[in-house]
Each structure stands twice: as C-alpha cells, then as structure tokens.
Amino acid sequence: CYDRAGNVSVEYKVYCDQSAPTGTLYGGTTTKSSGSYTNAAYVRYVASDSGSGIANCSVKMPGSSYFTTYASGTQLATEGTYSFYCVDKAGNQSSTVTITLDNTKPTGTLYAGSTSTTSGSRTNASSIKFTATDGIGLSTIYVKKPGATSYTTYTSGTALTAEGSYSFY
C-alpha cells in the first residue's frame, strides 16, 4: 500500500487453505482403510496436503489414552490399535483414522464334556465343544462336522453331540 506521501509498505502474503489434510494408512506396503486389521510386520500413516503443507502428525499408540507427535511414514510394529491424524500449516485437521496390528494367532481349547482334551483325542463324553480366544479379537470360528465335506461357522463354546470326527479352526 501507499500513503499520501508516496511511501510504500512492505509486501504481505497469506495463503488461504480451507481444506483438511488427508492421511493414508498402510499395513506393511498395502494401503488399508480406517478400522481395518492387518497382520503385516508394521503399520504406518502418511500425511498429505495440497495446500499449505503438513505442520504435524499425531498417533495414539496401543494401550495409550493420549496422542503424541508422529513423523509421517514412520513404521510402528507394536501389536494393537493405532489412531492417527494430521494438521496442516493453516490449522485444518484431518479426520482421525485407526488401524489394528495383530500378528498373534488365535488359540483354541477342545473340551470333552467339561474337561479340556488334546487335538486328535477320542472321548465318550456326552458332548464336545471348542472355545477360541485372541488378544485383539476373533472374527470367525469354523467347524467341520462328522460326514461334512466343508467347514461352516461355529459359535465358540457351543456343545455338539453327534458322534463322529470334528475339526475346528
């Protein structure tokens, strides 16, 4: 700007950015959607902003109740659920996204009646059942019943009484 005497001010610049930045989740090298699970070796979050640029990223680590500073793209390998978000230089915040890293196989226990038994055993108990557990959470349990050629879904702990050979996973 100029004043009446002809003096010129310094030039002022501002970048108007009203768009939120975005972030991409990865399980290893594979892109994942928010809320997904992965058994990759690591997870990572890559922030991007086509406007003012990324100012910072944050992560809530598994078991934590608060967010800490995160360097975009850093590989994280602790099992559990992660939450990420980023903020651009104009102060716009992305949505928070989550991903769960799970590299531990679920386990199961076979029961003959109310007594646990080993795989491959035989029993004369009135029923058998299978219970499954996982530290992160189970998705589906399957059983192949006597005479069946394929597996069907099974509810953990349901008593089965037909004679014959069963397989669970």
Side-chain angles (χ1 to χ4, degrees):
C1 62
Y2 293 90
D3 65 13
R4 291 187 179 152
N7 298 310
V8 180
S9 71
V10 294
E11 185 176 354
Y12 294 92
K13 295 180 182 182
V14 64
Y15 187 94
C16 182
D17 180 357
Q18 298 175 347
S19 298
T22 60
T24 304
L25 288 170
Y26 291 89
T29 58
T30 305
T31 303
K32 296 291 186 176
S33 60
S34 181
S36 64
Y37 291 77
T38 183
N39 62 356
Y42 60 88
V43 297
R44 64 189 177 104
Y45 175 80
V46 177
S48 63
D49 184 68
S50 60
S52 60
I54 297 296
N56 59 62
C57 297
S58 296
V59 62
K60 187 186 319 179
M61 300 290 288
S64 180
S65 59
Y66 57 90
F67 282 89
T68 59
T69 301
Y70 171 76
S72 179
T74 302
Q75 297 177 2
L76 302 170
T78 301
E79 289 189 64
T81 300
Y82 293 86
S83 297
F84 298 92
Y85 71 88
C86 57
V87 177
D88 68 16
K89 292 177 182 175
N92 300 306
Q93 183 175 314
S94 71
S95 59
T96 300
V97 293
T98 62
I99 189 167
T100 301
L101 180 62
D102 182 2
N103 287 312
T104 303
K105 293 180 181 183
T107 59
T109 305
L110 285 169
Y111 289 92
S114 60
T115 306
S116 66
T117 189
T118 58
S119 180
S121 65
R122 299 179 183 327
T123 184
N124 63 356
S126 61
S127 68
I128 58 128
K129 66 181 178 180
F130 178 75
T131 60
T133 58
D134 186 74
I136 301 295
L138 293 168
S139 173
T140 311
I141 305 168
Y142 295 95
V143 62
K144 186 184 332 178
K145 295 178 179 178
T149 58
S150 62
Y151 285 87
T152 59
T153 58
Y154 170 77
T155 302
S156 184
T158 301
L160 302 169
T161 59
E163 288 187 9
S165 183
Y166 291 87
S167 295
F168 298 90
Y169 74 93

